[in-house]
Amino acid sequence: MAAVTLLVNGEQRTAHVAPETTLLRMLRDEFQLTGSKLGCDVGDCGACTVIVDGKSVNSCLMLAVQADGRDVLTIEGLATKEQLHPLQQLFEEKGSLQCGFCGPGVIMSAKALLDENPDPSEHDIRDALAGNLCRCTGYTKMIEAIQAVAQLRQDRPAAKSVA
Amino acid sequence: MDKKPAVIEKEAQKELELLRAPAPAPLVPLPIEVLVPEARQQTPAVRQRATRPDARLHGLGATKYIDDMYLPGMLFCKIKRAGIASARILKVDTSEAEAMPGVVAVITGKDVPCNSFGPSLKDQPVLADERVFHAGDGVAAVAAVTEQIAAEALEKIQVEYEPIEPVLDPLLSLQLETPGIHAPSPNIYGHKVIKKGDVQKAFADSYKVYEGQFRTQMVEHVPLEPHSSLATWDANGRVTIYSTLGRITLGRADISRTIGVPMSRIRIVATIVGGNFGGKNEITTEPVVALLSKKTGRPVKCTFTRPEEFTSSTTRHPLIMDYKTGVTKEGKILGRQIRLVLEGGAYCSWSETTLGKACILSAGPYKIDNLYAEAFVVYTNKTMTGAMRGFGAPQVCFAYESHMDDMAKDLGLDPLEMRLMNALEEGSLSPTSQKLHSVVVKESLLQAAERFGWKNGNGHGHGNGNRQ
Amino acid sequence: MKRRGRGIACMWYPIGFTVAANPSAAVVKINEDGTATLLTGTVETGQGSLTILAQIVAQELGIATDDVHVVSADTDTTPMDTGAIASRTTYVTGNAARLAAEKAKNILFEVAAPVLGVKPSQLECADHKIQVLGFPQRNMHIGDVADRARGVNGQPPIGSASYNPATVALDAETGQGKPFATYVYATQIAEVDVDDETGEVEVLRIVASHDCGTPINPMLVEGQVEGGISMGVGFALEEEILFDKFGRQMNPNLTNYIMPTSLDMPKIEVDIVDSYDPTGPFGAKGVGEPTCVSTAAAILNAIHDAVGVRIHSLPATAEKVHAALKAKRAQEARQITAGAA
């Protein structure tokens, strides 16, 4: 068993896991953060996308021990008790999610994109989501929602602080 | 990895203890501010762009799908897949798997009280016991304290097969001399005819008769959430099964039949499902987890791996479609003859429905007074084909609309005009002579053409030489 | 070189099971404050059925979508439903839900009528009120009526109903009959670019015109069309389960089973055809499956328009299109040679 200590959604956490445990399994089984999903377990579908040290990552491809000492942000870390994250709000308003299973992964990929590129083109957005498979929505309303969030931040720079 | 048995035992014990520990509180509490979007507060309610309450939970990652569920003492189930397309099962030896530390129970087809089910023909086993009909057939199931141990235990199950020559070509299966895969049942396990008017006379009266053959492939639903179920019994012999099934009433009937328990002792709860598209409309793991849970006295969960989604759940029927259509010089359809061969895979599943729909829809949304449509579905030793979004409609639409364009091109007609000329109208009779109401084929053609800019020549390249 | 092409495809699709009974049952309970609960055995698979069922019940009772809570998919507590299959939920379960709401509503009308001094048949529900037809100023808040129903009349406003589409069995020899209660119709037009050297097809734009009867929730209808089109694009160009000669799948994974990503999707424009089905709940029919039916046909017709080759089997991979182009060029060369001879 290996000891792993890391920041998860701003809080320091520790777990003891078998060395072959993935970051995804540690998040889900050890920390009960089941928002990140297991869709394929081999990095093809993106349902497990989280943000590690600012970069979006397929958490099923990262070993838990590789996350030791790192800063991990999951879907559970976006909203506060008072408000939804703008991505969560706009995804809801625009009807961007249907079955919802790919949702957390898509939202994390979108957040990573907007953190790096606050004014993305449609192609930039499609490119950022290319590793997140969705079978229900055709991606159309997801792109609309991400564009709306980017627009919101252009119109009201104060809204950026919510991120 | 070579470990001493004592070490393995200790690790399994520790896993068990960790599993028994109560779940800690979530790191970030859910927002308690009640935001009710405008559209949800409006009356009248119909036609509102109302947001979905489940979408709120999805965006937060708070929706609990079955694989997110945990019950105290829960065991994990994995199913061993045959890996051979057609065989007799001679022997299944589960003793080595049962002896593995962390493995609590193993079952095979012999442990299933009534080992057959299906939406129409009950030709599908819960776990194959005498015969394997496709490589994705399950032959044994393990319940263990972790998913990892369950997966490793599958390797320890020894199965002895006597291979039987598989039938993989649907056209071969169609021939009467081919040995019956499910003998004594014939390979052609479904047949349907729609007959109206006089097709041969219509062809004789036609300016020209066109023929075309079209084929489609086997595809899979690929729901992002794999099939999953979780069973738990209470002391009164009642089982609760959480499942991704899309139809729980009939699912309960199937489970009652296969595990031999009356319906009043079975509770099926479907959670919010992560995509279905037709692939989750019959039982898969439910009887298995119910039986393992009963045997072990603990809750048991089984979630398909992604490869199992492909090999061991239903797929879309591949079709071979032959079309023959007689038309006037102006492009009016006088008669149509169709033959469909559906590849029906290893088990019947929803093939009867697919056969019926494909046959009825195969003429297309057109006024055709003289029609002969005949459809067959045949067994093959490939993945079972079942319900998938459209039940044969996408396949036949590809055929009849490609066929239509071929005819339009040869006759020098605009594809839009030829369709408008032949389209069903309010009160038209369908291929089964049903008087149709609320018919809007032409409206949809014109509306789409308008938005596309069809009449302006939008979408045509330059120098293609194909402009009508 | 890229060649542009366009293709049109229309389709029809039925609602419900073929001939066979496929009922849905529903229960509506009106709370003492005028909000309500719907019990349904149907399963939410992502398509948004629970939301539109709430809208149907809300419409019948004159309350808002958010006032209706939906409890679903539990064989212990919810009434039977044939399931989320065959695009039947809006039509069959929707009708059952509306009928159940109507029954509960009728209890409220019986209670309110003497108070308002009219017959029950003279009442209607609108905007959280039970009001007199033609005299809306004579009204009671629906919550007050519901509370009165329970506390004064001793008649809790609960309605239970079921619905099964009307069909006629098909003749065994000729297949004639009435297999479905209703059908939907649609057209999709695709615009593509085909690379005439590699055979690669890029779908640029799809215009979709779909009939669903009355759209209970237009946003969810659009979502279904967009999602259906993505399945259609995959069916047309990319997806295929491959088998080896022993009958084993060769690509049971998402690395080698290619399905559309966000980069593969065209610009999609959706129009809902103006239509009304008197047999459906508030004129609605359904939309779940029809959305993926005509996409592949439209794309393949567009390829035909772009480069003049007819691909007869799906998927129309780049290899297939390239081979067809090569064959076409060879044939044209032979014809030229034959002509010159």
Side-chain angles (χ1 to χ4, degrees):
Chain A
M1 298 289 257
V4 179
T5 301
L6 71 168
L7 276 181
V8 182
N9 297 332
E11 259 192 50
Q12 174 142 316
R13 303 283 297 217
T14 301
H16 292 86
V17 294
E20 67 272 15
T21 307
T22 60
L23 172 59
L24 176 67
R25 297 268 189 188
M26 180 174 71
L27 290 169
R28 288 176 58 79
D29 300 339
E30 301 297 319
F31 303 142
Q32 279 74 46
L33 292 169
T34 57
S36 309
K37 304 299 178 196
L38 201 153
C40 71
D41 215 20
V42 292
D44 285 327
C45 74
C48 64
T49 307
V50 297
I51 295 176
V52 178
D53 290 344
K55 291 200 108 53
S56 70
V57 154
N58 283 327
S59 60
C60 74
L61 289 180
M62 191 175 206
L63 292 178
V65 295
Q66 288 175 301
D68 187 63
R70 295 192 189 274
D71 185 350
V72 174
L73 184 67
T74 73
I75 188 75
E76 289 92 344
L78 293 191
T80 64
K81 216 156 80 85
E82 284 77 41
Q83 358 183 202
L84 298 171
H85 188 279
L87 281 167
Q88 290 164 326
Q89 178 130 3
L90 267 303
F91 266 53
E92 184 183 320
E93 266 172 46
K94 298 274 176 191
S96 311
L97 297 179
Q98 293 182 30
C99 85
F101 200 80
C102 76
V106 169
I107 290 173
M108 297 316 284
S109 290
K111 171 153 168 55
L113 168 72
L114 291 175
D115 285 349
E116 193 185 299
N117 177 359
D119 189 18
S121 65
E122 190 186 312
H123 184 83
D124 290 335
I125 296 173
R126 288 187 183 275
D127 201 47
L129 296 189
N132 293 89
L133 292 179
C134 173
R135 199 52 154 166
C136 295
T137 70
Y139 312 95
T140 307
K141 291 188 190 306
M142 292 174 173
I143 293 162
E144 282 170 20
I146 295 166
Q147 287 171 323
V149 173
Q151 187 62 46
L152 204 68
R153 290 179 176 168
Q154 304 290 325
D155 299 341
R156 289 172 23 213
K160 274 185 196 159
S161 62
V162 175
Chain B
M1 193 167 21
D2 279 309
K3 279 199 206 157
K4 297 213 173 66
V7 175
I8 299 170
E9 186 69 65
K10 193 164 179 213
E11 281 180 13
Q13 230 5 77
K14 183 136 196 228
E15 311 234 30
L16 251 170
E17 274 159 16
L18 286 170
L19 290 168
R20 285 199 189 112
L27 284 182
V28 176
L30 295 178
I32 57 168
E33 193 60 46
V34 177
L35 306 159
V36 182
E38 181 68 22
R40 290 182 62 78
Q41 300 180 58
Q42 295 303 312
T43 63
V46 165
R47 290 183 185 271
Q48 295 292 336
R49 295 176 74 90
T51 58
R52 305 168 48 154
D54 49 357
R56 170 82 52 92
L57 296 174
H58 293 339
L60 287 166
T63 307
K64 288 285 178 235
Y65 302 89
I66 293 178
D67 205 40
D68 302 326
M69 291 176 62
Y70 172 76
L71 295 178
M74 188 175 81
L75 298 172
F76 297 86
C77 165
K78 286 285 168 220
I79 298 177
K80 186 171 181 71
R81 300 293 169 188
I84 180 170
S86 170
R88 200 160 281 118
I89 297 175
L90 298 175
K91 193 172 154 197
V92 185
D93 183 357
T94 61
S95 53
E96 214 185 316
E98 284 177 86
M100 264 183 79
V103 170
V104 184
V106 181
I107 60 168
T108 67
K110 304 221 179 304
D111 298 306
V112 182
C114 174
N115 199 15
S116 78
F117 73 91
S120 50
L121 295 181
K122 305 219 180 295
D123 58 354
Q124 192 169 348
V126 172
L127 290 172
D129 53 11
E130 282 165 19
R131 290 282 304 277
V132 165
F133 290 97
H134 72 110
D137 253 335
V139 295
V142 170
V145 291
T146 68
E147 259 185 281
Q148 180 70 17
I149 293 174
E152 281 165 15
L154 297 185
E155 310 286 313
K156 302 247 192 299
I157 296 173
Q158 314 291 340
V159 188
E160 218 177 293
Y161 296 105
E162 181 192 307
I164 300 172
E165 185 68 30
V167 177
L168 303 174
D169 178 357
L171 291 176
L172 190 67
S173 184
L174 193 64
Q175 291 166 27
L176 294 169
E177 318 84 65
T178 309
I181 292 166
H182 280 270
S185 305
N187 281 335
I188 302 172
Y189 68 90
H191 177 239
K192 191 168 184 71
V193 171
I194 295 178
K195 209 168 18 181
K196 205 178 157 187
D198 185 341
V199 144
Q200 297 310 322
K201 181 174 184 299
F203 288 161
D205 293 343
S206 295
Y207 164 72
K208 202 159 177 188
V209 176
Y210 295 92
E211 287 186 58
Q213 187 186 81
F214 303 90
R215 294 181 180 229
T216 62
Q217 77 286 40
M218 186 182 284
V219 295
E220 214 275 319
H221 314 76
V222 195
L224 262 291
E225 184 204 10
H227 286 65
S228 195
S229 67
L230 196 175
T232 181
W233 293 77
D234 71 13
N236 284 313
R238 272 198 113 230
V239 63
T240 296
I241 304 175
Y242 300 91
S243 164
T244 49
L245 269 175
R247 20 155 287 207
I248 57 172
T249 307
L250 297 171
R252 182 180 63 175
D254 286 336
I255 293 164
S256 169
R257 177 197 150 85
T258 51
I259 69 173
V261 169
M263 291 187 201
S264 57
R265 290 238 172 100
I266 299 172
R267 178 184 178 205
I268 313 288
V269 179
T271 51
I272 302 272
V273 180
N276 179 332
F277 311 109
K280 291 174 178 165
N281 285 332
E282 61 226 88
I283 54 173
T284 51
T285 58
E286 290 80 6
V288 172
V289 294
L291 292 169
L292 281 169
S293 181
K294 191 172 184 193
K295 192 168 179 182
T296 61
R298 296 165 66 162
V300 176
K301 179 165 77 179
C302 185
T303 303
F304 270 13
T305 61
R306 182 56 58 182
E308 274 179 310
E309 280 298 313
F310 286 99
T311 61
S312 306
S313 73
T314 55
T315 62
R316 191 188 280 291
H317 292 75
L319 257 71
I320 300 167
M321 303 164 278
D322 287 290
Y323 274 71
K324 189 171 175 184
T325 306
V327 295
T328 66
K329 196 167 180 197
E330 294 72 36
K332 181 146 173 26
I333 297 174
L334 294 180
R336 176 165 275 179
Q337 185 177 296
I338 303 161
R339 187 188 85 152
L340 308 176
V341 177
L342 281 68
E343 185 175 336
Y347 301 113
C348 176
S349 179
W350 290 91
S351 293
E352 215 178 278
T353 310
T354 312
L355 180 74
K357 277 194 173 174
C359 196
I360 293 167
L361 298 172
S362 64
Y366 301 111
K367 290 180 290 204
I368 303 176
D369 295 329
N370 305 290
L371 175 71
Y372 187 84
E374 187 172 21
F376 302 89
V377 62
V378 294
Y379 282 122
T380 59
N381 288 110
K382 283 148 89 179
T383 314
M384 52 214 177
T385 48
M388 182 165 169
R389 202 175 191 177
F391 279 111
Q395 298 97 308
V396 299
C397 182
F398 160 61
Y400 63 67
E401 288 299 85
S402 298
H403 187 50
M404 187 66 119
D405 259 29
D406 286 346
M407 295 190 290
K409 174 148 189 212
D410 190 66
L411 292 168
L413 294 173
D414 176 355
L416 173 65
E417 290 307 318
M418 188 164 175
R419 284 170 173 82
L420 288 168
M421 193 190 309
N422 288 286
L424 292 166
E425 292 166 318
E426 189 70 23
S428 289
L429 294 183
S430 76
T432 65
S433 297
Q434 174 181 355
K435 191 158 176 218
L436 299 169
H437 71 269
S438 310
V439 181
V440 287
V441 190
K442 290 189 184 176
E443 287 81 343
S444 79
L445 280 163
L446 292 169
Q447 187 179 55
E450 171 80 34
R451 180 169 296 275
F452 186 83
W454 184 272
K455 299 214 162 124
N456 303 335
N458 279 17
H460 268 321
H462 297 291
N464 282 1
N466 289 325
R467 187 182 288 257
Q468 298 298 344
Chain C
M1 186 178 147
K2 291 219 173 132
R3 298 198 177 269
R4 177 90 23 122
R6 65 194 200 167
I8 191 169
C10 61
M11 70 102 227
W12 66 316
Y13 193 79
I15 300 295
F17 277 26
T18 317
V19 180
N22 60 116
S24 287
V27 172
V28 170
K29 308 187 292 176
I30 302 177
N31 304 319
E32 298 87 84
D33 61 356
T35 58
T37 303
L38 165 68
L39 307 181
T40 165
T42 199
V43 178
E44 170 64 66
T45 66
Q47 79 283 50
S49 56
L50 302 187
T51 306
I52 63 101
L53 289 172
Q55 288 177 260
I56 288 171
V57 169
Q59 179 81 13
E60 185 66 28
L61 300 177
I63 57 182
T65 309
D66 206 61
D67 295 326
V68 179
H69 176 66
V70 182
V71 175
S72 67
D74 181 337
T75 57
D76 269 4
T77 57
T78 59
M80 76 81 61
D81 194 289
T82 306
I85 183 171
S87 303
R88 59 184 290 288
T89 304
T90 302
Y91 186 81
V92 187
T93 308
N95 266 333
R98 194 199 67 73
L99 289 166
E102 187 179 56
K103 285 195 180 171
K105 181 180 78 172
N106 287 340
I107 293 174
L108 294 185
F109 284 179
E110 295 283 332
V111 168
V115 179
L116 292 169
V118 294
K119 292 204 276 277
S121 56
Q122 292 170 284
L123 292 172
E124 66 175 355
C125 282
D127 201 24
H128 306 273
K129 290 187 285 291
I130 300 201
Q131 61 198 31
V132 178
L133 282 161
F135 294 93
Q137 63 273 38
R138 295 255 297 276
N139 64 68
M140 290 174 73
H141 190 276
I142 186 171
D144 293 338
V145 182
D147 197 36
R148 189 181 175 85
R150 175 200 60 84
V152 175
N153 294 55
Q155 265 200 288
I158 305 176
S160 167
S162 71
Y163 183 81
N164 183 42
T167 59
V168 173
L170 301 181
D171 181 274
E173 266 186 49
T174 60
Q176 303 296 292
K178 186 183 169 189
F180 307 99
T182 191
Y183 302 76
V184 293
Y185 309 88
T187 297
Q188 288 184 7
I189 303 180
E191 187 174 353
V192 306
D193 264 346
V194 182
D195 186 318
D196 68 4
E197 276 152 52
T198 63
E200 263 172 63
V201 177
E202 192 188 343
V203 187
L204 302 166
R205 180 185 180 212
I206 291 186
V207 164
S209 172
H210 275 262
D211 162 38
C212 58
T214 301
I216 304 291
N217 186 325
M219 186 166 78
L220 300 193
V221 173
E222 289 159 17
Q224 283 298 293
V225 177
E226 289 152 7
I229 287 174
S230 78
M231 271 193 156
V233 168
F235 189 51
L237 301 174
E238 299 173 316
E239 296 178 42
E240 187 167 13
I241 293 183
L242 300 165
F243 288 86
D244 66 17
K245 62 181 186 192
F246 303 107
R248 297 174 306 207
Q249 286 190 17
M250 293 180 357
N251 58 341
N253 54 68
L254 292 168
T255 324
N256 298 314
Y257 180 91
I258 313 298
M259 62 169 259
T261 68
S262 51
L263 288 169
D264 298 320
M265 291 299 294
K267 178 163 186 282
I268 300 176
E269 290 156 73
V270 182
D271 278 313
I272 297 174
V273 180
D274 194 18
S275 133
Y276 184 92
D277 187 328
T279 63
F282 303 110
K285 298 189 205 179
V287 82
E289 292 168 284
T291 56
C292 71
V293 172
S294 52
T295 314
I299 291 171
L300 273 280
N301 280 342
I303 294 171
H304 181 234
D305 183 55
V307 288
V309 296
R310 169 58 67 193
I311 307 292
H312 289 93
S313 70
L314 297 182
T317 56
E319 290 79 18
K320 230 181 244 181
V321 175
H322 179 250
L325 283 166
K326 207 168 152 194
K328 179 169 179 254
R329 280 194 276 268
Q331 167 150 50
E332 281 164 359
R334 276 197 296 275
Q335 282 170 343
I336 291 169
T337 315

